[in-house]
């Protein structure tokens, strides 16, 4: 029999009605107040015609209203498709069409970016709608899909990752069993809810009965104030955010109330970790992805000295191993990171082939490369071999290459990540022009702007005569960096 | 697909090998050391012939060795039958036979109490056995039976409650989501592991990676020392234990490190709660039973003032309601307490009828009486209408009546609980003698001693001419107290 848990926010509103669920710059809401706002929004959504089982997209920036919309859709029993607000109209339209979403709820100022045959509900429109009675989901069934998030992959075609209620539940429980659970916890959500790093904070909030503080956009100064003031006890960051916070922090120190800086989004630069150690910042390095509904391994700070650079061990309900040539690798032998656990996705929306390729024998093949030391600590070497992580955003070379290749002057294109002080990595492109065509770097960047979110646009574009390929003409992205003129190498 | 989690202790030994798993008066063991002892015991048990799927009884008092035996049986994949060490040989033999247990592991000094056709393994025998290789369970499957505990019921015939890995898991998680989870937590196990109150501490220890302190027998003075010394942060008690601790405590106070006194085992006397309030003891009143794998509702201390006497609200994954005449009762209307959740048993061993009677439509009918106030807080009025809770032990009138009726001089017998300062309640019997037979109170008590554990022997026996019965001759146990001679009423 499948597990069903009483509707999470509803149960919280019943069990701990007066506890604070959410703060933002302006005010706060208790779990009961949040539940009441959510019921209202659910009835307004019902008025527009949203029904149980519908896929409804959300195209919003972090806000209490966004949290309410996600919960409201779950109250109705709809599936929430979370869309990155940095996508171009074209990227967004493709994903909406692929998913079969019937509605998209959007911030007013983002609504004009939505194209295609889909019903757009702006927040001001929604807020003005009359309420219509609708049956609320009294239980969340573990097998049901709660959310969908698109990720690209080595093929370059974005895929919708299915996240069940079970995935979110176990992710939250696994995290609590590792990080603990204190009565006064307040988790700062300065990462977007359309990413799993942000959404998982929202899920933990209702499952734990824990306060969260919502930031519309990351603000290093404000984040430091919240931590120093004792308001925030845990925060999720990527390296770029942490770097800005440390720059702003100066000689100040965080108080003891701040107990966890959860650092994800790709391997962290060692100098950054060393600075954190010196400043006594309790950094928990973590490894996770959309497909694992957030963390699957996390390093406890007690090991931050001895295991510097490691992403730690799996969370209690999960497992992790390294495979090389179909065999479990020996300690220190690099190979593909393979994971298992009730927080791991069942697969991709409408992609049985991609699902079958990624999930084999109950294990999910991440495509990421790493090794495990003799004590069982994971070290991530490379994300999905050619994945670029720029400021916490996943950037897939194949997607950028596809755009470049659609330009009439481009014959071949290869993209790889290069180190960047601010963003960790940025994409860098290598282009072979067609004979008889001329195009400038600037023109290609402008072309990319029309088709790609800003963070995906190559920071550098080099024209080359030939791209490195293997015998079967497969592009060798790892060798691209060698094409960078020597005097520029490392200076980017 | 059923959920499977890596073998809990094994996972702990991998994730947090150096953390302390267990203390007793003599020493301590880390999770890795415990895992190593458990592997050894499992291999020794394999040598005696214990196999996966066997039901193996444990007849032991609290000790690290007992914890090791329980884990070792789970490593092998055997089902652990936990036996109350206060049972008589006769009671024990009946349960062993009923369960189909093939082995019983016993403390040396208890072994001679075991009768019947069963293989007895004493602890000294086990410790001396050579090891034999055996395959360890790498995963715990949620649907598998982990443990069995016998409880009686209104029929008087003990029934084996099936507790799955899922039940234990969710019980531990529900508790953590309510009580929180601190890095320095250490839970004092002074209640027996053969009761769910004790066993659930052991389960939490491996699931949380939390230290526990094991007491062979409850010692109020020692318990106070452990709390005052800051070693113990949480403790499970029944009223009788708490009363002794308060008496020993005197003018001293518990430090802030002690964060939870979990008080179960039946409705608590209000004067006791008031004393605790005055002394600043963080009492969490709780309601639970063998069938719910420990707590199903717990009162947070923030409500100990305003909701004095309440057992609180359900744990997050669970639900609770009051039924009266097949309808959900209104606030304050007493009725049967009905519960639901993944911590609730699937039923009773070899008792499809009793299971079908207790579990209807996914809800478990506890037989206990209570009401819920307008805020959703549970108040337990009466345990299973005629259940007597004496010093935390469940005593079933029907079982005692059956023994009395087996005496040649007894024609009718009725048993009920009467208030007792030390034990909360004690059994009291009313006997109608057969015409022409003579028997004294003392003789009947001696007769009971041969058949019943000490705590079940009636403290008072009254001879009466007639027992209160309804039209269909059903004994009205609630009216028995009225038969107590006036001058003795309340003085017992």
């Amino acid at each position: 029999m499948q597990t069903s848990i009483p509707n999470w926010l509803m149960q919280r509103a019943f069990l701990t009605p007066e506890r604070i669920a959410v703060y933002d710059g302006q005010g706060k809401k208790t779990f009961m107040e949040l539940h009441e706002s959510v019921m209202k929004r659910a009835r307004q959504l019902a008025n527009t015609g949203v029904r149980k089982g519908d896929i409804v997209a959300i195209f919003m920036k972090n806000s209490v209203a966004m949290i309410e919309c996600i919960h409201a859709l779950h109250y109705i029993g709809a599936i929430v498709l979370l869309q990155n607000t940095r996508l171009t109209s074209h990227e967004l339209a493709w994903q909406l069409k692929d998913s079969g979403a019937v509605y998209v709820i959007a911030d007013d100022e983002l609504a004009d970016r939505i194209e295609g045959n889909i019903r757009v509900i702006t927040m001001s429109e929604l807020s003005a709608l009359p309420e219509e009675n609708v049956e609320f989901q009294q239980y969340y069934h573990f097998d049901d899909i709660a959310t969908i998030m698109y990720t690209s992959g080595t093929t370059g075609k974005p895929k919708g990752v299915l996240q069940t209620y079970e995935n979110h539940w176990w992710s939250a429980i696994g995290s609590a069993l590792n990080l603990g659970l204190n009565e006064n916890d307040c988790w700062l959500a300065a990462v977007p809810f359309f990413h799993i790093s942000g959404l998982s904070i929202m899920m933990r909030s209702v499952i734990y009965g824990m306060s969260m503080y919502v930031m519309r956009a990351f603000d290093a100064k404000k984040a430091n104030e919240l931590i120093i003031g004792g308001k925030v006890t845990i925060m999720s960051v990527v390296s770029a955010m942490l770097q800005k916070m440390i720059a702003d922090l100066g000689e100040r120190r965080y108080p003891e109330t701040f107990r966890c800086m959860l650092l994800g989004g790709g391997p962290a630069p060692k100098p950054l970790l060393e600075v954190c150690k010196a400043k006594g910042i309790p950094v928990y390095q973590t490894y996770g992805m959309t497909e694992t509904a957030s963390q699957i391994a996390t390093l406890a700070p007690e090991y931050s000295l001895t295991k510097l650079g490691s992403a730690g061990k799996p969370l209690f309900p999960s497992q992790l191993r390294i495979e090389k040539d179909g065999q479990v690798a020996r300690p220190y032998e690099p190979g593909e990171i393979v994971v298992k656990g009730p927080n791991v996705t069942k697969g991709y929306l409408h992609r049985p082939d991609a699902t079958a390729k990624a999930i084999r024998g109950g294990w999910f093949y991440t495509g990421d490369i790493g090794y495990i030391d003799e004590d069982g600590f994971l070290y991530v070497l490379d994300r999905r071999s050619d994945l670029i992580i720029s400021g916490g955003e996943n950037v897939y070379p194949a997607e950028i290459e596809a755009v470049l290749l659609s330009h009439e002057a481009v014959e071949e294109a290869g993209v790889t990540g290069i180190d960047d002080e601010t963003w960790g990595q940025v994409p860098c492109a290598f282009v072979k022009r067609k004979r008889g065509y001329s195009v400038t770097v600037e023109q290609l960047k402008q072309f990319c702007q029309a088709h790609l979110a800003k963070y995906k646009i190559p920071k550098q574009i080099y024209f080359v005569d030939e791209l490195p390929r293997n015998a079967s003409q497969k592009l060798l992205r790892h060798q691209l960096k060698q094409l960078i003129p020597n005097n520029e190498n490392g200076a980017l």
Side-chain angles (χ1 to χ4, degrees), chain A residues 266-282:
Chain A
K270 279 204 181 180
L272 175 62
L273 296 174
E274 276 155 1
V275 169
C276 289
K277 207 194 321 176
K279 288 187 172 290
I281 300 174

Side-chain angles (χ1 to χ4, degrees), chain A residues 320-388:
Chain A
L320 192 152
R321 68 184 190 210
I322 304 294
E323 277 195 26
K324 174 139 178 103
D325 304 329
Q327 302 287 321
V328 175
R330 294 185 308 276
Y332 295 103
E333 187 183 17
E336 183 170 7
I337 303 171
V338 183
V339 299
K340 186 179 188 173
N343 57 321
V344 176
T345 184
K346 287 175 175 183
Y348 301 103
L349 182 69
H350 310 144
R351 297 278 198 288
D353 290 355
T355 301
K357 202 180 154 199
I359 303 172
R360 278 133 47 200
W363 291 80
F364 175 77
Y365 286 74
T366 66
D368 295 340
I369 306 299
Y371 66 86
I372 290 177
D373 72 9
E374 79 274 22
D375 297 320
F377 287 83
L378 172 70
Y379 292 77
V380 181
L381 295 172
D382 233 339
R383 295 296 295 253
R384 303 198 185 199
S385 55
D386 47 13
L387 172 65
I388 303 163

